């Protein structure tokens, strides 16, 4: 029997496969392979699983990296209205992609923009009161989950932030109450370690905006002419309001992708105004969970470099920001884009939107594409194939990512920088 490679364990590894960016993973590596089954998180297990090395391709034929980079640069230099979409990259990758956009006058848009805008438009319009994961972990005594079970997108949220065995201000586990708003949610993670079950208010998620408006009317002692909101009686909403007012540090958690109904931004706005109202009575905050696929990372880099969010065009005479017209999906469907550079380095399942415009894909190795793009360049995964930085969901820290194995592909930063260098002067 050949000798078995001895395993190395690396402690305190940061995981980039959802916005929680847990920084407590212990990763065992043997013979260059990562033992991901011990991670106790389905998204991390999947993300850290080994990807197959792959070769760059041009129109379906294997080519060298240099040739693929040259083809990508030629394609972008011919385009009049290129779009750089996906933007699933680490901080250095995002910076290089934005520099490339500046060179070729491209529109930049993230793959999660549609859901992300449900929050961003509210923040731009009226501001909000939000908190951090550490504050939730250490202070919250009431956690209301609005329209989400959380754990399908952020699997360790309860383990890391709710059912922690101790906090800064309590000996032993802090006392908390959990309330879910919504129907058909997975509420199993909300069962406390002592077996206490969460309260579930079985309301219609698509009508949560009505519920928040009713709560705002009740807190303002305004008369109401309805008997219910979102399928739940006013008495039940009144009881929830009293519970919220009685909390010493309440938090409403939501995940914008789970609020997938028309005008969801108005529901978020109503919720954010309710949180402001509650702060006249007690301390209350919002916790909009996000950050997956590097969406906060890309947006953060774009914001500090230009002052504007994603969904912007690097025009000749400055930057145009337009959250509606500069949607990559809309531009491709309307025939307003003539080239697409799609980037997804965390998840090979996030493929470009269906389009017949010439397409360059910088995809995590193993990406299966419905249509062979003009140029495909496999890229490494941040926090696995190369070091980097990643913005956490609460946007208060950018966590360092480590390189854990011999890279199976170049980084997005390396490829985007090479494409920019190959553009005609
Ligand atoms: S919850 Fe998210 S950040 Fe934490 S280990 Fe799972 S995928 Fe990684």
């Amino acid at each position: 029997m050949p000798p078995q490679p001895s395993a190395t364990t690396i402690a305190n590894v940061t995981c980039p496969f959802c916005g929680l960016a847990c920084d407590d993973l212990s990763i065992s590596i043997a013979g260059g392979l990562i033992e991901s089954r011990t991670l106790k998180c389905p998204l991390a297990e999947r993300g850290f699983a080994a990807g197959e090395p792959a070769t760059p391709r041009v129109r379906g034929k294997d080519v060298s990296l240099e040739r693929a980079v040259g083809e990508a640069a030629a394609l972008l230099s011919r385009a009049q209205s290129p779009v750089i979409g996906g933007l699933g990259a680490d901080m250095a990758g995002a910076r290089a992609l934005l520099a490339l956009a500046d060179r070729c006058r491209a529109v930049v848009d993230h793959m999660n923009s549609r859901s992300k805008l449900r929050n961003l438009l509210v923040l731009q319009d009226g501001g909000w009161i939000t908190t951090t994961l550490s504050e939730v972990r250490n202070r919250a005594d009431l956690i209301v989950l609005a329209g989400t079970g959380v754990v399908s997108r952020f699997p360790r949220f309860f383990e890391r932030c709710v059912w922690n065995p101790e906090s800064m201000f309590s000996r032993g586990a802090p006392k908390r109450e959990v309330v879910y708003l919504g129907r058909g949610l997975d509420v199993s993670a909300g069962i406390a370690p002592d077996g206490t079950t969460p309260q579930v208010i079985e309301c219609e998620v698509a009508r949560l905006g009505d519920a928040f408006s009713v709560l705002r009317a009740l807190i303002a002692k305004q008369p109401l002419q309805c008997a219910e909101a979102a399928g739940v009686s006013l008495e039940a909403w009144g009881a929830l309001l009293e519970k919220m007012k009685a909390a010493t540090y309440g938090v409403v958690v939501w995940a914008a992708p789970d609020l997938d109904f028309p005008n969801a931004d108005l529901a978020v706005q109503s919720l954010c105004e309710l949180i402001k109202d509650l702060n006249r009575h007690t301390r209350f905050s919002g916790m909009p969970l996000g950050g997956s696929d590097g969406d906060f990372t890309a947006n953060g880099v774009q914001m500090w470099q230009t002052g504007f969010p994603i969904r912007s065009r690097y025009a000749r005479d400055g930057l145009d920001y337009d959250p509606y017209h500069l949607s990559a999906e809309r531009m491709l469907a309307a025939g307003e884009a003539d080239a697409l550079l799609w980037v997804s380095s965390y998840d090979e399942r996030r493929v470009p939107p269906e389009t017949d415009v010439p397409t360059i894909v910088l995809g995590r190795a193993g990406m299966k594409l419905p249509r062979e793009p003009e140029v495909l360049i496999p890229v490494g995964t941040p926090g696995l194939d190369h070091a980097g930085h990643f913005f956490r969901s609460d946007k208060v820290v950018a966590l360092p990512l480590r390189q854990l194995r011999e890279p199976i592909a170049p980084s997005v930063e390396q490829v985007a920088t090479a494409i920019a260098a190959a553009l005609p002067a």
Side-chain angles (χ1 to χ4, degrees):
M1 191 174 167
Q4 296 300 304
S6 59
T8 311
T9 300
I10 306 178
N12 301 324
V13 170
T14 300
C15 171
F17 298 111
C18 87
L20 291 188
C22 302
D23 56 358
D24 62 345
L25 302 192
S26 279
I27 300 272
S28 293
I29 307 170
L33 292 176
I34 289 172
E35 175 50 79
S36 56
R37 281 171 300 157
T38 54
L39 296 177
K40 297 193 185 123
C41 170
L43 296 186
E45 191 178 316
R46 195 179 183 289
F48 282 110
E52 290 297 312
T55 311
R57 295 200 297 261
V58 170
R59 287 176 279 282
K61 291 211 171 65
D62 288 358
V63 297
S64 66
L65 177 61
E66 292 67 28
R67 166 88 199 283
V69 162
E71 288 284 337
L75 197 153
L76 286 173
S77 66
R78 283 195 299 272
Q80 298 297 310
S81 179
V83 170
I84 299 181
L87 292 184
D90 67 327
M91 207 180 283
R95 199 183 281 127
L97 289 168
L98 299 181
L100 177 61
D102 196 22
R103 285 288 312 279
C104 57
R105 307 280 165 237
V107 165
V108 290
D109 189 14
H110 193 278
M111 61 179 99
N112 294 348
S113 286
R114 200 167 73 88
S115 56
K116 193 172 159 37
L117 278 169
R118 292 172 194 147
N119 290 339
L120 190 61
L121 295 176
V122 174
L123 177 62
Q124 288 173 326
D125 196 45
W128 60 16
I129 299 169
T130 56
T131 188
T132 65
L133 294 172
S134 300
E135 287 280 273
V136 175
R137 181 182 165 87
N138 286 306
R139 294 184 195 271
D141 61 342
L142 174 65
I143 297 174
V144 180
L145 298 119
T148 182
V150 170
V151 287
S152 63
R153 297 184 190 279
F154 304 93
R156 295 181 65 209
F157 175 74
F158 280 87
E159 177 201 335
R160 296 264 294 164
C161 301
V162 182
W163 304 134
N164 37 304
E166 56 186 17
S167 79
M168 279 171 70
F169 308 110
S170 66
R171 284 177 197 275
K175 234 181 134 23
R176 315 196 191 276
E177 187 168 358
V178 173
V179 179
Y180 287 88
L181 308 182
R183 270 190 204 134
L185 303 176
D186 174 2
V187 301
S188 53
I191 300 171
D194 68 3
T196 307
T197 53
Q199 182 187 0
V200 183
I201 299 182
E202 297 257 355
C203 60
E204 293 171 42
V205 172
R207 290 180 61 208
L208 272 174
D210 296 356
F212 300 140
S213 298
V214 158
L215 287 167
R216 291 199 68 206
L218 290 173
I219 206 168
K221 298 192 175 18
Q222 292 298 311
L224 281 161
Q225 293 183 343
C226 56
E228 58 83 32
V232 170
S233 69
L234 294 193
E235 289 69 31
W237 290 122
L240 173 65
L241 182 62
E242 292 312 311
K243 190 176 281 190
M244 291 169 121
K245 283 161 62 178
T248 56
Y249 194 115
V251 178
V252 183
V253 177
W254 72 97
D258 288 332
L259 304 181
D260 193 10
F261 50 83
N263 303 316
D265 55 315
L266 298 182
V268 173
Q269 185 158 41
S270 200
L271 169 58
C272 291
E273 293 305 310
L274 170 65
I275 290 169
K276 290 178 195 169
D277 296 342
L278 283 163
N279 273 278
R280 294 196 183 94
H281 299 265
T282 184
R283 200 166 170 191
F284 228 96
S285 293
M287 176 88 266
L289 291 172
S292 303
D293 304 299
D295 56 10
F296 287 173
T297 303
N299 206 52
V301 176
Q302 162 83 0
M303 286 287 290
W304 81 57
Q305 290 196 346
T306 69
F308 290 94
I310 293 300
R311 285 206 177 164
S312 294
R313 184 196 302 275
Y314 285 77
R316 195 168 297 282
D317 53 354
L319 197 88
D320 296 332
Y321 163 64
D322 188 327
Y324 301 103
H325 294 107
L326 298 181
S327 146
E329 221 166 339
R330 192 204 68 77
M331 289 182 68
L332 290 164
E336 294 173 15
D338 58 358
L340 170 66
L341 168 60
W342 179 262
V343 184
S344 178
S345 64
Y346 295 104
D347 190 343
E348 72 280 7
R349 296 167 301 178
R350 302 299 300 268
V351 296
E354 213 173 294
T355 177
D356 52 13
V357 308
T359 299
I360 304 154
V361 175
L362 310 190
R364 176 172 154 134
M367 184 177 274
K368 303 260 181 306
L369 292 147
R371 171 178 86 79
E372 181 68 31
E374 278 63 20
V375 181
L376 170 65
I377 303 180
V379 286
T381 303
L384 184 55
D385 292 301
H386 61 88
H389 290 87
F390 180 89
F391 258 100
R392 201 171 69 181
S393 177
D394 50 8
K395 292 181 271 186
V396 288
V397 283
L399 286 144
L401 305 174
R402 297 189 194 186
Q403 179 183 344
L404 299 177
R405 66 179 181 194
E406 274 304 304
I408 61 170
S411 67
V412 169
E413 180 195 18
Q414 289 169 326
V415 176
T417 304
I419 295 174
L423 287 171

